[in-house]
Amino acid sequence: VRDKVAHQVNRSGFHSCRLYLKYGEFEETVHHFEKECKNKGKVVPKPRGDNPTFQFVPLEVRDCDPHAQKLEFYLHVHFTIFPLKIHLGRHVPDFEVRITHFKHYLETRGAALSQTTEFLPYYALPFVPNPVVHPSFRDLFQESWIPERKRELEKFLTVTLTVSDTPRLLGIVKDTIQQLQLQLAEAEKRTSSYMRRFNKMQADHHNLIGVTAELVDSLEATVSGKMISPEYLQSVCVRLFSSQLRQSAAQSIDFTRPGTASSLLRASIVPQRPKEVPLLPSLDYDKLKRDLLGGSDRLKALLLQALCWRLTRSLQGEQRDTVLQAYVSNDLLDCHSTRQKPVLLLMRSKNEMVRQYMARLINAFASLAEGRVYLSQVPSLLRLLIESIRTEEKDSVSRENVLGALQKLSLRRSQQSAMIEDGLIDWLVDELQDSDCLSDYTLEYAVALLMNLCLRTRGKRKCAENPKYVLKVLTDLLGHENHEIRPYVNGTLYSILCIHAVREEAKEMSMEEILHCYSKEENPELNRQIEFIIKQLNSEEGPESDDEEEDDDDEEDAIETDLDKEEVLQLQPRELSGETLLTTEYLGIMTNMATRVKRRSAAPLGRSVDEPLQRPVTPISHRNTHIMQVVHTHTHTHILYTYNMEQCVLD
């Protein structure tokens, strides 16, 4: 399948190039291009008609337009029963497969139409043995049914889609140039700002060196018995403070008075007191939860979006801590509720938009340490998340957020145990087998989750049940173009190779030679990690983790910058959203108090940069910690380099 897709992509690429050249009236170039493609065996498909283009109906139209939903439903019906029209009265080989796909559609995207009278009979179609003779579906097999649907579809597409004569390649080039121009302008703006700051720092530094040199001369003179005049001291201090104070203000200060200059110097390095950050208004959480459970799907999605934004877009520190504290103390997700339908069950909503924004909110909770504590108190949550990740469409935003939440919850040992028990390791390995089809977010968080689970003894033993398959998937990932996943792949390999059966299987498949192939890349840090893995591979016995330890969740609070990416909820006229919706319709009694929430310190830098990961992490916290380690490691070198550069400047 991959080869066929690649072939089709190549054909499409050649065709786009041909159209671009034709559009620019490069007729001779087109002739030579086609001739060379023919000589090289590259087929350039000839266009039928003028300029064929492929366009897609936008997702927001498919989700929100009733006509689009109706057409999509009938298209699923058409492709399900089409073989029955061709093979009337005969056995249809793949009909059961088509019925299975149709049932999946009815349970997912088609579920929103289950209360519509027009479509209600079709929900029985998968359970009817012979739809051809059933009176409820007689119209489907009339000759007029397909032409009618075709006319409706053509009319809808004509209105919805606009076809341009401009080649798609030209559009891509223009968009790319426009984006690059914006990025260039922003980069130039930042560069100009940095240059101004650098020039000021350089001038201050040179001034400081000059003043220091004069003061050293003055100290030497006093040793020889020469006195320093008050006028000289005044002039030196004016020069010293001219960059911090206006020239007139510096000259008006009497620096000859003992302690004046030293006090100003000490005051100049005192850190500025942070500005007071206002707390967000309190909300009526009872009303919020009533509408989350009983409101329309549209209102539910808007409320979940607003609640998520309040958490992700609040300022880090006291403001965000207070928001989270309010959510937890008011049990926003009904984690401690005894009601039959808690807010958490919105993860099973038939509306994809509601499920997506519920997943976003849970992921935001899981990004914060206290949020993970709150979520971990609900045994049913993990079952909901694992059920969701197995049923949602591949690489949908909902699924990405569910995966992100699971990965962050895997920092806690109790949650790790439950995930291993529910068979999540097998699911992860199966997903990672076809890593090229996964988004960067899904790939990175899936591998990081697998590593966290494999740090546990039960996780390692689970991998040992089918070591050949697991090792094959992991070694394939070592060569993936996304190098962000390498630390987690290395950490997983290092962990599971402490199991004897895994080591034996690794030796059978020449794992050491495979690892040496990847260690040739110019990345000293990853090369040293591979050396640790090879050492583990050749060891007699490896240490197994102690499952009796306490929870290892000491990660810093970190919310990804792209947690609010791909917003698909488009506002309608006079519709409220975000903080405006919350403070207009759900304003509560002002109970928010400036209570200091205990801040968690960042995770210690206990691991050498060279070693594979051996403790649970999240991708974003690992990146932050890695930066701190690199800075810590190279600080001494940086100081020496800076000193040498300053000597060059002085020379």
Side-chain angles (χ1 to χ4, degrees):
V1 171
R2 188 178 300 168
D3 291 342
K4 288 181 180 178
V5 171
H7 177 66
Q8 189 62 37
V9 168
N10 286 335
R11 284 169 58 93
S12 176
F14 290 132
H15 180 55
S16 297
C17 290
R18 184 182 180 279
L19 287 177
Y20 178 71
L21 294 171
K22 290 281 287 183
Y23 179 79
E25 299 181 353
F26 296 102
E27 298 297 338
E28 291 186 18
T29 308
V30 171
H31 173 72
H32 290 294
F33 176 70
E34 290 178 342
K35 183 179 178 181
E36 190 167 357
C37 285
K38 185 178 180 180
N39 293 338
K40 292 181 178 292
K42 307 293 186 182
V43 181
V44 182
K46 297 288 184 181
R48 291 174 296 175
D50 292 323
N51 184 359
T53 59
F54 291 92
Q55 291 183 289
F56 298 92
V57 178
L59 183 61
E60 59 267 22
V61 175
R62 291 173 57 198
D63 286 340
C64 303
D65 189 317
H67 196 193
Q69 292 175 329
K70 174 182 175 180
L71 286 171
E72 184 178 358
F73 192 96
Y74 278 130
L75 283 172
H76 277 279
V77 172
H78 166 70
F79 287 111
T80 301
I81 65 169
F82 184 71
L84 297 179
K85 296 184 177 184
I86 301 174
H87 306 280
L88 282 172
R90 287 178 290 166
H91 174 68
V92 180
D94 66 339
F95 186 62
E96 290 300 323
V97 177
R98 291 172 180 264
I99 284 291
T100 301
H101 286 303
F102 185 58
K103 284 175 67 177
H104 177 72
Y105 166 73
L106 293 178
E107 292 167 358
T108 53
R109 288 189 59 82
L113 300 173
S114 60
Q115 305 301 317
T116 307
T117 308
E118 179 183 355
F119 303 107
L120 200 55
Y122 298 106
Y123 286 82
L125 180 60
F127 308 100
V128 175
N130 189 358
V132 179
V133 299
H134 197 282
S136 299
F137 308 117
R138 186 181 298 115
D139 292 343
L140 298 179
F141 298 93
Q142 299 294 325
E143 291 186 3
S144 61
W145 193 82
I146 292 180
E148 287 176 5
R149 300 289 84 77
K150 188 176 180 181
R151 281 195 298 272
E152 288 183 21
L153 180 61
E154 288 176 347
K155 184 178 178 182
F156 172 76
L157 293 178
T158 302
V159 174
T160 306
L161 303 180
T162 56
V163 180
S164 172
D165 291 332
T166 306
R168 181 168 174 268
L169 185 59
L170 184 61
I172 293 173
V173 170
K174 286 182 176 178
D175 290 344
T176 305
I177 291 174
Q178 188 176 11
Q179 290 177 7
L180 290 174
Q181 286 174 337
L182 290 173
Q183 292 175 10
L184 178 62
E186 186 64 30
E188 288 176 344
K189 184 178 177 182
R190 288 198 303 269
T191 303
S192 176
S193 173
Y194 294 151
M195 283 303 297
R196 285 195 300 272
R197 290 165 60 184
F198 170 75
N199 291 335
K200 184 178 183 304
M201 289 174 64
Q202 190 177 50
D204 288 346
H205 176 73
H206 290 166
N207 183 42
L208 183 61
I209 293 294
V211 170
T212 305
E214 287 191 26
L215 290 176
V216 170
D217 290 341
S218 301
L219 285 172
E220 289 177 349
T222 57
V223 172
S224 304
K226 296 180 181 179
M227 298 295 293
I228 298 175
S229 68
E231 292 77 18
Y232 173 75
L233 181 60
Q234 180 77 15
S235 67
V236 169
C237 290
V238 167
R239 286 172 55 200
L240 188 61
F241 291 101
S242 61
S243 62
Q244 294 178 322
L245 303 171
R246 292 194 305 273
Q247 189 77 16
S248 58
Q251 290 175 345
S252 64
I253 298 174
D254 182 10
F255 289 107
T256 60
R257 196 171 69 185
T260 302
S262 60
S263 298
L264 283 172
L265 281 172
R266 292 188 183 95
S268 67
I269 61 171
V270 172
Q272 296 293 317
R273 186 175 180 180
K275 296 179 180 178
E276 290 293 329
V277 178
L279 300 181
L280 297 175
S282 297
L283 303 176
D284 185 344
Y285 287 93
D286 290 334
K287 184 182 178 185
L288 261 171
K289 286 192 271 189
R290 281 198 303 271
D291 285 352
L292 281 172
L293 295 172
S296 65
D297 286 338
R298 178 79 183 173
L299 178 59
K300 291 176 184 177
L302 285 168
L303 285 175
L304 290 169
Q305 181 193 56
L307 291 166
C308 186
W309 283 357
R310 181 173 257 233
L311 199 55
T312 59
R313 299 184 179 185
S314 56
L315 298 175
Q316 186 174 0
E318 187 175 357
Q319 191 181 72
R320 181 174 292 166
D321 291 340
T322 308
V323 171
L324 180 61
Q325 189 181 48
Y327 284 3
V328 172
S329 61
N330 288 281
D331 195 13
L332 177 63
L333 301 181
D334 281 340
C335 290
H336 307 295
S337 173
T338 56
R339 69 174 89 197
Q340 290 184 336
K341 290 186 177 181
V343 173
L344 277 173
L345 284 185
L346 290 177
M347 281 300 302
R348 288 179 177 165
S349 171
K350 294 178 180 179
N351 186 283
E352 194 277 333
M353 200 81 72
V354 174
R355 296 197 308 275
Q356 180 187 136
Y357 280 96
M358 187 67 206
R360 288 177 187 262
L361 181 58
I362 292 174
N363 192 11
F365 264 97
S367 301
L368 306 172
E370 295 304 321
R372 291 192 288 272
V373 173
Y374 174 62
L375 295 176
S376 299
Q377 296 169 1
V378 195
S380 61
L381 175 64
L382 270 186
R383 289 196 297 273
L384 280 171
L385 295 178
I386 293 174
E387 170 190 304
S388 174
I389 205 171
R390 285 173 169 160
T391 56
E392 287 287 350
E393 292 183 9
K394 202 164 206 173
D395 280 341
S396 66
V397 178
S398 301
R399 191 173 182 231
E400 283 189 355
N401 278 276
V402 170
L403 178 61
L406 284 169
Q407 201 284 323
K408 293 160 190 171
L409 287 170
S410 71
L411 295 172
R412 302 186 63 80
R413 298 179 70 82
S414 59
Q415 305 300 296
Q416 293 170 1
S417 300
M419 292 179 199
I420 296 169
E421 190 70 26
D422 284 340
L424 200 55
I425 287 180
D426 290 338
W427 183 87
L428 286 167
V429 175
D430 288 340
E431 283 294 302
L432 292 169
Q433 182 189 20
D434 194 8
S435 58
D436 290 338
C437 296
L438 304 177
S439 68
D440 287 341
Y441 185 96
T442 298
L443 178 62
E444 191 172 354
Y445 275 79
V447 181
L449 173 56
L450 178 63
M451 186 201 74
N452 285 359
L453 299 183
C454 288
L455 293 173
R456 298 291 301 277
T457 302
R458 273 179 286 182
K460 297 171 189 174
R461 290 173 180 165
K462 187 68 179 175
C463 291
E465 293 175 6
N466 192 357
K468 186 174 182 179
Y469 179 47
V470 174
L471 289 170
K472 172 67 169 58
V473 171
L474 290 173
T475 50
D476 286 347
L477 289 171
L478 283 173
H480 198 279
E481 61 183 8
N482 184 348
H483 288 185
E484 295 291 337
I485 67 173
R486 287 286 293 275
Y488 315 120
V489 178
N490 291 343
T492 307
L493 281 170
Y494 186 81
S495 293
I496 66 176
L497 284 172
C498 74
I499 302 292
H500 177 74
V502 180
R503 287 201 303 276
E504 291 303 307
E505 186 59 50
K507 291 173 183 176
E508 282 287 321
M509 60 188 291
S510 302
M511 172 69 76
E512 185 169 349
E513 287 76 8
I514 295 172
L515 291 170
H516 278 305
C517 291
Y518 291 113
S519 67
K520 292 177 183 177
E521 298 178 11
E522 298 198 357
N523 191 326
E525 179 188 328
L526 291 177
N527 291 346
R528 287 190 289 271
Q529 289 182 13
I530 286 177
E531 290 173 10
F532 276 95
I533 297 170
I534 293 173
K535 185 177 179 181
Q536 178 83 307
L537 172 64
N538 294 320
S539 65
E540 291 302 319
E541 290 296 332
E544 294 192 3
S545 63
D546 183 4
D547 283 354
E548 300 303 318
E549 293 179 10
E550 294 296 321
D551 266 334
D552 199 20
D553 185 1
D554 57 357
E555 291 294 297
E556 62 182 3
D557 290 347
I559 291 181
E560 303 98 318
T561 54
D562 59 351
L563 198 64
D564 295 332
K565 71 172 185 176
E566 296 181 29
E567 290 288 352
V568 295
L569 200 53
Q570 302 296 324
L571 280 187
Q572 296 173 358
R574 303 181 68 181
E575 194 171 41
L576 301 178
S577 70
E579 195 64 22
T580 307
L581 172 62
L582 294 178
T583 53
T584 303
E585 301 293 338
Y586 299 93
L587 195 61
I589 301 172
M590 295 299 290
T591 56
N592 278 345
M593 298 179 66
T595 306
R596 292 282 174 188
V597 181
K598 184 179 179 181
R599 301 293 298 159
R600 295 170 65 91
S601 59
L605 305 176
R607 178 187 70 91
S608 164
V609 182
D610 301 340
E611 298 176 27
L613 291 166
Q614 297 170 51
R615 56 179 298 279
V617 297
T618 62
I620 187 169
S621 66
H622 171 63
R623 281 193 287 270
N624 294 343
T625 304
H626 181 263
I627 290 169
M628 290 170 63
Q629 287 174 320
V630 171
V631 171
H632 178 75
T633 304
H634 296 290
T635 297
H636 182 65
T637 306
H638 174 70
I639 290 172
L640 289 176
Y641 171 77
T642 305
Y643 175 77
N644 290 332
M645 288 296 292
E646 296 299 348
Q647 291 301 311
C648 293
V649 171
L650 290 174
D651 292 343

